[in-house]
Amino acid sequence: MVNLDRLFFPEHVCLIGASEAALRGVTPYLFALKKVNFNKPIYCVNRKKKKVMYGLDAYPSILDVPGDIDYAIIGVPAEEVPQLIKECSQKKVKYVTIFTAGFSELGTEKGEKLEAELMKNVTNNLRIIGPNCLGPYCQESRLVNTEIFEIKEREGHVGYICQSGGHTSAFYFIGENRGFPFNKVVSIGNQCDLTIQDFIEYFTTDPKIEVISCYIEQVKKSTQFLGILEESSKKKPIIFWKGGHTIEGELAAASHTGAMSSSYEIFQSAIKQHGGIITESMEEMADLTLGALYLAPKKLGKNVGLVVAGGGASVELTDEVAKLGLNVPELSLDTREKIRELIPEVNTYDRNPVDLGMYGWFVSVFSKLIRYIAEDPKIDILIFQFMTERAPQFAERLNDRHIEKSFLKRIKRVVKTVSIPFICILPNFNIIDPEITKIRKAFIDELTNIEVPHFPSTYRAANVISKLIEYQKFLDK
Amino acid sequence: MVNLDRLFFPEHVCLIGASEAALRGVTPYLFALKKVNFNKPIYCVNRKKKKVMYGLDAYPSILDVPGDIDYAIIGVPAEEVPQLIKECSQKKVKYVTIFTAGFSELGTEKGEKLEAELMKNVTNNLRIIGPNCLGPYCQESRLVNTEIFEIKEREGHVGYICQSGGHTSAFYFIGENRGFPFNKVVSIGNQCDLTIQDFIEYFTTDPKIEVISCYIEQVKKSTQFLGILEESSKKKPIIFWKGGHTIEGELAAASHTGAMSSSYEIFQSAIKQHGGIITESMEEMADLTLGALYLAPKKLGKNVGLVVAGGGASVELTDEVAKLGLNVPELSLDTREKIRELIPEVNTYDRNPVDLGMYGWFVSVFSKLIRYIAEDPKIDILIFQFMTERAPQFAERLNDRHIEKSFLKRIKRVVKTVSIPFICILPNFNIIDPEITKIRKAFIDELTNIEVPHFPSTYRAANVISKLIEYQKFLDK
């Protein structure tokens, strides 16, 4: 295993190609590191200028920097990179991220050559991330890799490895807002040296990381990759989204034709056989990451209890879980009797799905009911729906200004004392009303506090459950 | 065809069961009608009280109301409904919505009997909507059916027919916020008299309605239904979402076993054969409704031009359209040369998908580019992505406070002068930040103004295109 401690926790960072232009080359790293008060020395290298952004001094070469450098980031024209790699090697830098693009990803002979050339200049155990990538992010050490990355308060437990810069930041956004903040992220680019499997292996040994998610376009050294995947999957859920599913997509990914990338079916089945979890889109990867974080540690079963306010919605939820092979068993008579003590017969249903009708908005009825259903021995998982869009109206009707908080308070009590997992369905009917957004944020924050994952549709929740059940089967083998 | 003009444009409304309790029975209709300043006479009936909400007078019976009544809504205990239907018939009311539940939907003998009994009391050509439903909504006449329905400014061109009260309001929310406001909506409940096909037929003759969407659990008189569907589909796109896909879902829907409802496969293929468009979820129904409104009037083809900022995203978009059988043809050399005059080679791609890299945020580059691609004879549809989540950063970087508006302004110019349809991909990476929400709202409002549909993923956009191409094949037959 490659020990990457000093990459994610460097004692000193050097920015090669820093300038005064906040938007160019490696300078955005400087902007970003200053923004989050990164508290280790940052050295800047600029061949021509003595001063760069923030009035910092610049050295003409990394060789002029006094003292050691753990980690350097290169952002200069591609042609200059091989020479700089030689200098970084001389300086005994431990890790270099090559932000610069214009190498093998172009698919041109020139690009390929340049990449091969830079690798020839590596000595003294220098390890390279990239080229054509953002490199590492670490929440704890405040090592950010663009101004998009901020340091949020909530401790992250997800590790993310990504072959695309854009998908790195997009997924970062999703995770931070959806309830699975990141502990460590790495954008790996062309993988000319360090590969996805090096990071998977390292993240697997990291006690703070509970789930690993990966966006990948190409696997290098596929036998090694599969071996590491299998060993790592025994310890943590590892989720994959592959770019270039289709022939058209592969052309777009411009991937080289290796055994792994030539057929998506082969890739998919190899991943599954070795314990990985396959997803088909960024949204699905987000669903699985959130789900794995909170559900994978629990024993999952196929029998779902559904609690919802509305007949149509109860049909909808039932269809969606049944489509994915889960069961909606009829509740025990005992549970049904308890339900009937709380809600009348008209416009409701007590067998499962439990349709509460209007009573779904009465917080004490709702909370008693989810407890009864969760305690029913026939039920393995409880799924309930909450419509943030309707909350303002019911807040007014029921004279409870923060009705969403009242719900969460009660749900928290039930979740804490009942052993089965809970899932919340939170439809996104309205994504453009700032008021609804605030309610949704409060709701999601609290759900995250009590470790209840949320999904915008039951289909997506059921998909997560069924994929995690498959993963648990792999673990049980 | 049943002429339903006076249902949607009643000259007088009577609320049977109105009281002082704003939340009970039929009273929420009163609250809602007053809220939107419904400007026709509203009569209230209460067997016991002389005054109801807003200090309005109440009559002991509809028979005591002076003058005619076009439309009455009944919200009293189920047992009293048959007698009230008798009185409404006597009064020569034209239409009654029975809001009350507790009839055949219970699946009990008692419920079935009560529904049969009320039907026996119908005379004088009274037509019934329901029972167990909200009844009609009409934007133009301000006839609202709960306080959820408001009268928005933008004129609606969608007709929606729904068998579930909850799904009625949920879809109303989506449409009003997503860019397809409603012209007329009807929640039809148990269809003891007026059926979905009566409304489809009527909406088809309505010049203001361009697309008809339906949520249905059970079809009554299926031969008549299919005949009306086929005739109507020749005139307007008609979109279906069926509740009770699965055996489990059917049980939840408690539908009676008729030929149509016993098998979803049969239902699905019957709908398709007769020109209807099948969707599998409320989200998909929303996608198709929005798409049909703006895309169905145009000639659609399978050759898609993709414009996006970011390599990973360009792979993603390509995968997603290819999965659904659309093509991403290589652009003409001429177009590619024009593209290359605007963007450099590194970190971009000019063949299609067109990856603009960072240049995707330069509004003049972007707008020239989409014009070139849209004018390429190889391209039938142009799909571009905009990430509202990134807008604040680029607004700051590029010193353009309302960067989203600058984009829309330029896009508008191109859309107006190019004949092929445009589609915008607007990922929802962050649905809890009020600032992002505001930007997204501004963007969606403008997209709606220029009639460009938006989808949160390319897969969902491609699904809409491929289903509408199927529909156009039906029209061409």
Side-chain angles (χ1 to χ4, degrees):
Chain A
M1 193 194 82
V2 188
N3 184 328
L4 299 165
D5 290 351
R6 276 294 167 92
L7 173 63
F8 288 99
F9 295 88
E11 285 297 321
H12 359 66
V13 172
C14 181
L15 302 178
I16 302 176
S19 69
E20 280 195 318
L23 290 181
R24 288 184 64 185
V26 83
T27 322
Y29 286 84
L30 180 56
F31 177 77
L33 288 165
K34 287 286 184 191
K35 204 175 81 178
V36 301
N37 296 316
F38 178 73
N39 62 6
K40 303 285 176 181
I42 303 171
Y43 299 101
C44 293
V45 168
N46 187 310
R47 224 153 27 106
K48 293 173 187 164
K49 302 214 166 142
K50 294 199 169 164
K51 291 279 179 194
V52 298
M53 211 178 163
Y54 300 112
L56 293 183
D57 293 332
Y59 299 91
S61 155
I62 195 170
L63 295 170
D64 300 313
V65 172
D68 293 339
I69 300 284
D70 280 342
Y71 173 47
I73 306 162
I74 296 178
V76 298
E79 295 71 23
E80 300 173 23
V81 172
Q83 171 59 25
L84 292 171
I85 290 297
K86 191 179 254 174
E87 292 173 15
C88 287
S89 297
Q90 257 181 279
K91 181 73 181 172
K92 296 189 181 163
V93 171
K94 294 189 180 69
Y95 305 96
V96 165
T97 285
I98 303 173
F99 169 71
T100 309
F103 295 91
S104 65
E105 84 282 1
L106 292 180
T108 60
E109 204 184 325
K110 191 182 153 203
E112 299 273 0
K113 260 194 178 162
L114 210 56
E115 195 166 306
E117 197 187 328
L118 79 86
M119 280 308 290
K120 276 188 210 141
N121 288 353
V122 169
T123 54
N124 279 332
N125 301 315
L126 173 72
R127 300 307 303 255
I128 292 174
I129 301 100
N132 183 29
C133 72
L134 299 175
Y137 156 88
C138 177
Q139 187 184 38
E140 222 176 320
S141 71
R142 311 181 84 82
L143 180 71
V144 292
N145 58 17
T146 70
E147 88 280 11
I148 295 157
F149 286 77
E150 295 165 16
I151 305 294
K152 299 278 175 74
E153 268 172 50
R154 196 190 293 272
E155 191 177 67
H157 296 288
V158 173
Y160 176 46
I161 308 161
C162 182
Q163 234 190 316
S164 148
H167 284 347
T168 303
S169 50
F171 198 58
Y172 172 84
F173 265 119
I174 298 177
E176 294 292 327
N177 293 304
R178 180 125 183 234
F180 59 91
F182 296 95
N183 190 283
K184 292 180 184 66
V185 172
V186 64
S187 153
I188 60 174
N190 301 6
Q191 307 180 76
C192 77
D193 175 22
L194 287 173
T195 59
I196 182 173
Q197 53 266 39
D198 293 318
F199 290 97
I200 289 178
E201 208 174 14
Y202 178 72
F203 284 180
T204 303
T205 65
D206 187 329
K208 295 226 165 149
I209 292 178
E210 292 169 23
V211 176
I212 300 168
S213 297
C214 314
Y215 170 77
I216 187 146
E217 290 179 1
Q218 193 193 12
V219 168
K220 295 206 167 174
K221 306 177 213 159
S222 54
T223 313
Q224 186 211 35
F225 169 81
L226 291 173
I228 289 176
L229 173 60
E230 179 147 14
E231 279 316 302
S232 303
S233 289
K234 285 175 191 160
K235 289 161 195 147
K236 289 173 191 180
I238 305 177
I239 298 155
F240 290 88
W241 173 35
K242 178 161 184 329
H245 288 192
T246 53
I247 295 169
E248 291 85 345
E250 277 189 54
L251 279 172
S255 64
H256 303 109
T257 34
M260 294 290 296
S261 65
S262 63
S263 153
Y264 183 56
E265 278 66 41
I266 293 173
F267 174 84
Q268 219 174 3
S269 77
I271 293 284
K272 283 184 195 165
Q273 267 174 43
H274 295 80
I277 300 168
I278 283 281
T279 65
E280 303 284 327
S281 66
M282 193 181 297
E283 285 193 329
E284 196 190 352
M285 181 164 68
D287 289 346
L288 258 301
T289 305
L290 180 70
L293 193 59
Y294 300 131
L295 301 176
K298 301 189 178 187
K299 178 77 198 144
L300 300 174
K302 288 198 168 190
N303 297 314
V304 179
L306 294 171
V307 183
V308 64
S314 75
V315 174
E316 177 186 4
L317 269 59
T318 307
D319 274 338
E320 296 194 336
V321 300
K323 267 186 209 171
L324 282 154
L326 304 179
N327 311 321
V328 186
E330 188 166 304
L331 296 173
S332 315
L333 267 179
D334 180 42
T335 310
R336 291 177 57 197
E337 274 167 19
K338 284 184 194 162
I339 294 173
R340 277 298 167 218
E341 279 171 23
L342 292 168
I343 59 171
E345 206 186 341
V346 169
N347 247 331
T348 64
Y349 193 70
D350 64 12
R351 286 167 196 261
N352 193 22
V354 177
D355 172 11
L356 301 178
M358 268 283 291
Y359 294 83
W361 287 96
F362 296 167
V363 64
S364 75
V365 172
F366 177 84
S367 58
K368 279 179 199 156
L369 243 146
I370 55 170
R371 180 186 296 279
Y372 297 154
I373 298 164
E375 287 173 347
D376 191 313
K378 288 182 167 182
I379 297 302
D380 299 323
I381 297 177
L382 190 133
I383 298 182
F384 65 94
Q385 191 186 44
F386 187 84
M387 284 179 61
T388 46
E389 281 79 1
R390 302 294 301 274
Q393 283 154 354
F394 283 95
E396 199 187 332
R397 280 185 169 192
L398 301 168
N399 203 16
D400 179 356
R401 241 183 97 195
H402 292 293
I403 195 166
E404 71 280 4
K405 288 189 182 157
S406 310
F407 267 84
L408 258 315
K409 213 169 128 185
R410 301 286 190 107
I411 292 166
K412 187 175 179 176
R413 265 189 240 159
V414 180
V415 168
K416 288 218 164 179
T417 52
V418 172
S419 63
I420 71 163
F422 281 67
I423 289 174
C424 175
I425 306 302
L426 215 57
N428 300 335
F429 292 157
N430 183 332
I431 54 164
I432 58 170
D433 181 334
E435 279 312 300
I436 303 290
T437 308
K438 280 181 207 161
I439 295 168
R440 192 179 276 127
K441 178 164 169 41
F443 208 81
I444 288 177
D445 282 350
E446 265 303 293
L447 284 176
T448 305
N449 283 337
I450 60 172
E451 305 193 345
V452 170
H454 59 97
F455 303 93
S457 75
T458 316
Y459 186 85
R460 284 170 61 174
N463 176 50
V464 168
I465 298 168
S466 74
K467 288 198 170 178
L468 290 177
I469 288 175
E470 283 305 306
Y471 173 62
Q472 294 193 339
K473 279 187 198 159
F474 164 81
L475 292 181
D476 290 342
K477 266 200 293 207
Chain B
M1 192 193 82
V2 187
N3 184 328
L4 299 166
D5 290 351
R6 277 296 166 90
L7 173 62
F8 289 99
F9 296 87
E11 287 295 323
H12 0 65
V13 172
C14 181
L15 302 178
I16 302 176
S19 68
E20 282 197 313
L23 292 182
R24 287 184 67 184
V26 85
T27 322
Y29 287 83
L30 180 55
F31 176 77
L33 289 164
K34 286 286 183 191
K35 204 174 80 177
V36 301
N37 296 317
F38 179 73
N39 61 4
K40 302 285 175 182
I42 302 169
Y43 300 101
C44 294
V45 168
N46 186 311
R47 221 154 28 105
K48 292 175 188 164
K49 300 212 167 147
K50 294 198 167 164
K51 291 279 180 194
V52 296
M53 214 180 160
Y54 300 110
L56 293 182
D57 292 334
Y59 300 92
S61 155
I62 196 168
L63 295 170
D64 300 312
V65 173
D68 292 339
I69 301 286
D70 280 342
Y71 173 46
I73 305 162
I74 296 177
V76 299
E79 295 70 25
E80 300 173 21
V81 172
Q83 171 59 25
L84 293 170
I85 290 297
K86 190 178 254 173
E87 292 173 14
C88 287
S89 298
Q90 256 180 280
K91 182 71 182 170
K92 297 190 180 162
V93 171
K94 294 189 180 69
Y95 305 96
V96 165
T97 284
I98 303 174
F99 169 71
T100 308
F103 295 90
S104 66
E105 85 281 1
L106 291 180
T108 59
E109 204 184 324
K110 192 181 152 204
E112 299 274 0
K113 260 193 178 164
L114 209 57
E115 196 166 305
E117 197 186 328
L118 78 88
M119 281 309 291
K120 276 187 211 142
N121 289 352
V122 169
T123 55
N124 279 333
N125 301 316
L126 175 70
R127 301 306 302 252
I128 291 174
I129 301 100
N132 183 28
C133 72
L134 299 174
Y137 156 89
C138 176
Q139 186 184 40
E140 221 175 321
S141 71
R142 310 183 85 80
L143 180 71
V144 292
N145 57 18
T146 70
E147 88 279 12
I148 295 158
F149 286 76
E150 295 164 15
I151 305 294
K152 298 277 174 74
E153 269 172 51
R154 195 189 295 273
E155 192 179 67
H157 297 288
V158 173
Y160 176 46
I161 307 161
C162 183
Q163 233 189 318
S164 147
H167 285 346
T168 303
S169 51
F171 199 57
Y172 172 85
F173 264 121
I174 298 178
E176 293 292 327
N177 291 304
R178 179 124 184 236
F180 59 92
F182 297 94
N183 190 284
K184 291 179 184 67
V185 173
V186 63
S187 153
I188 60 175
N190 300 6
Q191 307 180 78
C192 77
D193 176 21
L194 287 172
T195 59
I196 181 171
Q197 53 266 38
D198 293 317
F199 290 97
I200 288 177
E201 208 174 16
Y202 177 74
F203 284 179
T204 302
T205 66
D206 187 328
K208 296 226 165 152
I209 291 178
E210 294 169 21
V211 176
I212 300 169
S213 297
C214 314
Y215 170 77
I216 186 145
E217 289 178 2
Q218 194 191 12
V219 168
K220 295 205 169 175
K221 305 178 214 158
S222 53
T223 313
Q224 184 211 36
F225 169 81
L226 291 173
I228 289 176
L229 173 61
E230 179 146 15
E231 279 317 301
S232 303
S233 290
K234 285 175 190 158
K235 289 161 197 147
K236 289 174 192 180
I238 305 177
I239 298 155
F240 290 89
W241 172 34
K242 178 160 184 330
H245 288 193
T246 54
I247 296 170
E248 291 85 345
E250 278 189 53
L251 278 173
S255 65
H256 303 111
T257 35
M260 294 288 296
S261 65
S262 63
S263 152
Y264 182 55
E265 278 66 40
I266 294 172
F267 174 84
Q268 218 173 2
S269 77
I271 293 282
K272 283 183 196 166
Q273 266 175 46
H274 294 80
I277 300 168
I278 284 280
T279 65
E280 302 284 328
S281 66
M282 192 181 297
E283 285 193 330
E284 195 188 356
M285 181 164 68
D287 289 346
L288 258 302
T289 305
L290 179 71
L293 193 59
Y294 299 130
L295 302 175
K298 303 191 177 187
K299 177 79 198 143
L300 300 175
K302 288 198 169 191
N303 296 315
V304 179
L306 294 171
V307 183
V308 63
S314 76
V315 174
E316 177 186 3
L317 269 59
T318 308
D319 273 337
E320 295 192 337
V321 301
K323 268 186 211 172
L324 282 153
L326 305 179
N327 310 322
V328 186
E330 188 166 304
L331 296 173
S332 314
L333 265 179
D334 181 42
T335 309
R336 290 178 55 196
E337 274 166 21
K338 284 185 196 160
I339 293 173
R340 277 298 166 217
E341 281 170 22
L342 292 169
I343 58 171
E345 206 187 339
V346 169
N347 247 332
T348 65
Y349 193 70
D350 64 12
R351 288 165 192 262
N352 194 22
V354 177
D355 172 10
L356 301 177
M358 266 285 291
Y359 295 81
W361 286 97
F362 296 167
V363 64
S364 76
V365 172
F366 177 85
S367 60
K368 280 179 198 155
L369 243 146
I370 57 171
R371 179 185 298 278
Y372 296 154
I373 299 165
E375 286 174 349
D376 190 313
K378 290 183 167 180
I379 299 301
D380 299 323
I381 296 177
L382 191 132
I383 298 182
F384 65 94
Q385 191 186 44
F386 188 84
M387 282 179 62
T388 46
E389 281 79 0
R390 300 295 300 274
Q393 282 154 355
F394 283 95
E396 200 187 332
R397 279 185 171 193
L398 301 168
N399 203 13
D400 180 356
R401 239 183 97 196
H402 293 292
I403 195 165
E404 71 282 0
K405 288 190 181 154
S406 310
F407 267 83
L408 259 316
K409 213 168 130 185
R410 301 287 190 105
I411 293 167
K412 188 176 180 174
R413 267 190 238 159
V414 181
V415 168
K416 287 217 163 176
T417 53
V418 172
S419 63
I420 70 163
F422 281 66
I423 289 174
C424 176
I425 306 303
L426 216 55
N428 300 335
F429 292 158
N430 185 333
I431 54 164
I432 59 170
D433 181 334
E435 278 313 301
I436 302 290
T437 308
K438 279 181 207 160
I439 295 169
R440 191 177 279 127
K441 177 165 168 40
F443 207 82
I444 288 176
D445 282 350
E446 265 305 292
L447 285 175
T448 306
N449 282 338
I450 61 173
E451 304 192 349
V452 170
H454 59 97
F455 303 94
S457 76
T458 317
Y459 185 86
R460 284 169 60 174
N463 176 51
V464 168
I465 297 168
S466 74
K467 289 198 170 178
L468 290 176
I469 288 176
E470 282 306 304
Y471 174 62
Q472 294 192 341
K473 279 187 197 159
F474 165 82
L475 292 181
D476 290 343
K477 266 198 295 206

